[in-house]
Amino acid sequence: MKVLVTGGAGYIGSVVAARLLEAGNEVVVLDDLSTGHADAVPAGAGFVRGRVHDAAGLLGDALRSFDAAIHLAAKSLVAESIRHPELYEENNVVGSRLLFDALASAGVRIVVFSSTAAVYGEPDVVPIPESAPCRPLNPYGASKLAIDEMLAAAAPERGFAAVSLRYFNVAGAYGPYGERHEPETHLIPLALAAAGGQGELQLFGDDYDTDDGTCVRDYVHVVDIADAHLGALERAVAGRHDVFNLGNGSGYSVREVLLRVEAVTGTTLPVRVVPRRPGDPAVLVASAALAAERLSWVPRRPDLGVIVADAWAFARRRGVGAA
Ligand code: UDP
């Protein structure tokens, strides 16, 4: 297949692009490098620098040659989305609408979209099934939900074979491809940086209603996430929009993650407990039964120790922990 990967210079997108190439696909990355890195685009992929808003103009007639698009380009910082909701409307929602228009005009009908567990907000039931009510707690989650709904409408109208993949907590790395967010907000890379001597780790709240008082999340390896996209490309059904949660179905508390980071890095982490981060639900764990059933998706790297070890190997490549 020839696949357009928007956001393919970012963390998850670079792994998606790498796995697509390894499976024998042709890949072109579209990324404006606002948060991505040119050197994260895998060798062997084509690269077009620009916004998804301009896909039609940037790719021109070449867009017709694609079989599918995987759309990951987005702003994804929760705190920023609360301060500047308009950026999330303009970048995520408007950009996706323009991209989908361009794809429809060019006859590209297979669309896999990078959605998120943040669409659910505070869940009533854990593990969370796709049928759970969507009540996002911030403009980031709301923007992703709006795009899911856009695809639900576009699939029957435009003949899209559309899939939304709702990621839980993506972590780990794949060789040279890993998390390089600026600013970094995610637990595992921040804990690894602290293990490498780059400051202390702030633990956001130990008074939640969980076994050890810290938040519980479903950490899933970025390679497993990437491989779900390959499965979705193959199994997307024309005229339909399907939604799949992607997680391991097991939750780890922040304290458990920090213990695993200490074990992998052989350090004692400097940790300071600080007040809760606004908008953090106590427990988010996926039911990914539907992805197992319909995409034959079985996470191959569910072990948190492996996830942390792979992230640590990547952090060390980038100089973390170098004396
Ligand atoms: N967390 C923390 N300190 C940090 C970053 C995150 O205690 O510096 C906690 C956060 O409150 C949440 C969990 O770690 O309970 C995972 O947060 P992350 O930002 O990695 O992902 P999220 O679940 O928000 O998507």
Side-chain angles (χ1 to χ4, degrees), residues 169 185-187 190 202-204 215 217 219 254 277 280:
N169 286 62
T185 62
H186 293 121
L187 178 63
L190 285 172
Q202 297 196 331
L203 195 169
F204 298 137
C215 288
R217 294 288 181 272
Y219 295 89
V254 175
R277 188 170 64 178
D280 272 343

Side-chain angles (χ1 to χ4, degrees), residues 117-125 128 133 135-137 208 279-284:
V119 300
Y120 295 117
E122 187 84 51
D124 299 326
V125 178
I128 305 171
R135 298 178 296 228
L137 296 172
Y208 286 92
D280 272 343
V283 181
L284 288 177

Side-chain angles (χ1 to χ4, degrees), residues 71-76 92-93 113-116 119 139-149:
H71 177 35
L72 301 103
K75 287 201 163 288
S76 61
N92 296 3
V93 181
F113 173 59
S114 155
S115 187
T116 170
V119 300
Y140 164 64
S143 73
K144 290 284 183 172
L145 180 60
I147 302 162
D148 284 347
E149 289 170 349

Side-chain angles (χ1 to χ4, degrees), residues 1 16-27 174 227 230 234:
M1 273 193 192
V16 168
R19 297 293 283 181
L20 283 169
L21 288 166
E22 281 168 32
N25 299 285
E26 192 180 338
V27 175
Y174 187 45
D227 288 352
L230 276 69
E234 278 174 21

